[in-house]
Amino acid sequence: MIDPILTFSVMLAALVVSAACFLVLWLISLRTKDPSYVDSYWGLGVVILVWATYAQIVDPGPHATALLLLGSAWGLRLGIYLLWRWGNHGADRRYAKLAERARTKHGMNFAVFSALWVFIPQMFLQLILALPVLVPQISDKSELGLLAYIGIWLALAGIAFEGIADAQLAHFRSQSENEGKVMDRGLWRYSRHPNYFGDLVTWWAIWLVAVDAGAGLWTLPGPLLITFLLTRVSGAPTTEPHLQKTRPDYEAYKKRTSAFIPMPPKSS
């Protein structure tokens, strides 16, 4: 089962590690004047946290090892992809708009804006997200149960699904003849956000492993948070309005294509 004292110790250590890493990221942003590379750290930071937690366990059990591998696979895949995207496409327009709003409406300089509006909030959000891959590592269960096996295979499927979706989109955008067009091929024919769907599947599947380890209630905020962010805050709500303004065919695509769960497109 899960020891509350050990849970507090694990999360306190994770907070210290995370604070140190985000401090470095913030200092880098002061030189680049662009904090948008922090998106890649959503994945890479989880890798650091999951390994830092694993290193504290004297005798890791099967749940700890499974979560270490799943957290690393998800984090490295997403982190490397977003870092590549940032390097190739430059600053994210969303952060530029936030910085301008902070300057004009709140009188914040870049250092204050990036600390209070970007790095500090994301540090705490990342810690909440990572709960399902951190807390269950201290479980004393000696064997994986049925829920854990289901969660492991579903998580691997989710990671593969979002990876394929991102690769298809990157290839589509790399073709000059597709400029201004709507990506409606491959997995994107069945879902407007197949990469986000893969994300949700992955984290709810990882949560099943946490439930099997006896840490279901401790870690439920993780998948709930990622669901809220992708469906209500930084996922679809920020990408779709921009696409509707810049892609003439997006409204028709939106009407025929499921928002998240992959489904056959509706006939026009």
Side-chain angles (χ1 to χ4, degrees):
M1 300 303 290
I2 303 299
D3 186 331
I5 296 177
L6 281 177
T7 298
F8 177 79
S9 176
V10 163
M11 292 312 299
L12 180 60
L15 175 61
V16 171
V17 171
S18 187
C21 292
F22 271 94
L23 175 61
V24 172
L25 293 174
W26 175 70
L27 292 174
I28 294 173
S29 79
L30 299 185
R31 295 182 64 86
T32 64
K33 300 301 180 184
D34 171 26
S36 60
Y37 56 81
V38 73
D39 286 351
S40 67
Y41 193 72
W42 267 86
L44 299 176
V46 168
V47 177
I48 291 174
L49 291 175
V50 77
W51 278 91
T53 300
Y54 193 81
Q56 298 175 61
I57 302 174
V58 177
D59 185 20
H63 290 86
T65 302
L67 293 169
L68 174 75
L69 297 176
L70 289 176
S72 297
W74 177 83
L76 287 172
R77 204 281 322 165
L78 179 64
I80 292 172
Y81 169 71
L82 292 179
L83 194 61
W84 168 83
R85 191 177 71 177
W86 174 76
N88 280 268
H89 298 285
D92 191 313
R93 65 182 184 278
R94 296 173 298 174
Y95 289 97
K97 290 180 179 179
L98 280 176
E100 181 62 18
R101 178 182 172 188
R103 185 184 66 82
T104 57
K105 292 189 176 182
H106 303 282
M108 293 182 182
N109 60 30
F110 181 83
V112 175
F113 153 73
S114 60
L116 297 183
W117 284 28
V118 180
F119 292 102
I120 292 176
Q122 293 208 32
M123 178 185 72
F124 287 107
L125 290 175
Q126 187 182 74
L127 285 170
I128 296 172
L129 170 71
L131 285 173
V133 292
L134 302 183
V135 175
Q137 288 197 41
I138 62 176
S139 172
D140 59 3
K141 293 188 70 172
S142 59
E143 295 182 358
L144 297 175
L146 178 60
L147 272 182
Y149 283 110
I150 294 174
I152 290 169
W153 285 108
L154 276 178
L156 292 174
I159 293 169
F161 196 89
E162 63 175 323
I164 292 170
D166 280 338
Q168 289 177 340
L169 181 61
H171 176 71
F172 178 83
R173 287 178 172 174
S174 70
Q175 307 299 308
S176 59
E177 63 268 23
N178 293 328
E179 185 175 354
K181 294 182 180 180
V182 175
M183 169 52 163
D184 59 357
R185 308 169 190 176
L187 296 179
W188 299 82
R189 182 171 183 264
Y190 306 99
S191 169
R192 300 201 300 273
H193 303 285
N195 50 347
Y196 295 160
F197 173 76
D199 243 348
L200 296 187
V201 169
T202 300
W203 281 98
W204 282 105
I206 288 174
W207 182 70
L208 290 181
V209 182
V211 172
D212 190 77
L217 290 178
W218 287 96
T219 60
L220 182 58
L224 287 177
L225 173 66
I226 193 66
T227 302
F228 175 73
L229 291 177
L230 291 180
T231 60
R232 295 291 183 266
V233 182
S234 61
T238 59
T239 58
E240 294 211 339
H242 174 73
L243 290 171
Q244 286 178 296
K245 292 179 181 178
T246 58
R247 303 290 189 273
D249 297 333
Y250 193 79
E251 191 61 37
Y253 171 68
K254 185 176 180 180
K255 289 180 180 179
R256 70 175 181 267
T257 311
S258 170
F260 276 89
I261 300 175
M263 298 180 68
K266 299 175 184 178
S267 58
S268 56

